Amino acid sequence: MESGDKVWEVFIQKKPGLAFKHAGSCHGYDKKMAIQNARDLYTRRGEGRALWVVPSEAIVSVPLDDSEAFFDPGVDKVYRHATFYKIPDGVDHL
Amino acid sequence: MDKFEKAFNDIIEKDLKVEPRDWMPEKYRKTLIRQVSQHAHSEIIGMQPEGNWLLRAPSLRSKQVLLAKIQDEAGHGLYLYSVAETLGITRQEMNAQLHSGKAKYSSIFNYPTLTWADMGAVGWLVDGAAIVNQVSLQRTSYGPYSRGMVRICKEESFHQRQGYEIMVQMAFGTPEQKEMAQDALNRFWEPALMMFGPHDADSAHSSQSMAWKIKRESNDHLRQRFIDRTVPQAEFLGLTVPDVNIKLNKETGHYDHSPFNWDEFWNVVNGNGPCNQERLDHHKKAHHDNTWVREAAAAFAAKTETIVA
């Protein structure tokens, strides 16, 4: 990559109260340029009211090799779901 | 077959999306880089024929609209460069490949835009053909490409409608305007049909791309869809599609057409179209003339950015 030019990941909040959603990426040499480029690239039609840009290199993700083991603890605990529990008929608001 | 290859094959078979971190065959990656970078370059080079009319647009409204459309094309190019970057090629490498001629862009942009009616024909036919292709690509197997296509298709429909609006104004205007509209249709009709690429039997990359679901529908299939949609639109304008053999085939429900002049197509692909040299020279010049901007931005960032490594 050209000296100083960086890739940034762009997150948009569509409306107040909603979560920020990943929209794609853009280029920029510094933070100000990155967020202006993100605006010009991803919000030309009022797609959002708030923007984040994060240097792509700052994103941490799970290595592909490890992903099965990494997420394994989350798959066998059915008691973490509300549907696991039996509630007698006639009991409301649970 | 190792577990990664099996996972890839499962994704393709189940119509799921391949994501940047997933294992993929090297040839899948290369094919996508070639296709997506060519697509990106087409959007960027495609700004030139329209930029040609920016300072001569006939009204403030048409100028604003054209400017917004060209800005969209830049945006589409950038979305697509971003998609290609997720596959491990840099923006700089893609630019270098465009400049060296290793990477191509759509041949349609090697034709000149001679009159204001051409702005209509480009929006109506060129963007129209692009939409047919891109709607199909929304279902491509590579996730970032698919999402980019969804975004682009939303924006492109404005382009095609603004083009058709110009055609309506010209076709129902003075006799001279109508003549210009007909002339634009005459010049852009066959090149627009060739945007879908060679016939399926002659398409070098098609069958593997279809198997990997990078492409979802064949060149000829998409081309026929475009013809079927567009001929009635030309009839509404009172214009004549420049092909004496265009007629609705009652049996197939599709429009028949004459064979295309593929020699012309390959001639332009191979660099001998009316504007190949001009388009590439202009891109190179803009890139080189703006070197100082990139250098200044890098120097400013080096001085002011402290947190970001």
Side-chain angles (χ1 to χ4, degrees), chain A residues 67-81:
Chain A
S67 76
E68 232 170 277
F70 189 82
F71 292 107
D72 187 54
V75 296
D76 61 349
K77 296 176 181 62
V78 285
Y79 46 86
R80 282 180 173 159
H81 297 276

Side-chain angles (χ1 to χ4, degrees), chain B residues 197-215:
Chain B
H199 284 309
D200 297 343
D202 310 319
S203 179
H205 309 287
S206 272
S207 58
Q208 182 62 73
S209 287
M210 294 281 280
W212 275 331
K213 297 183 180 171
I214 293 174
K215 277 172 71 161

Side-chain angles (χ1 to χ4, degrees), chain B residues 298-309:
Chain B
F300 184 78
K303 270 191 186 169
T304 54
E305 294 280 293
T306 48
I307 300 165
V308 176

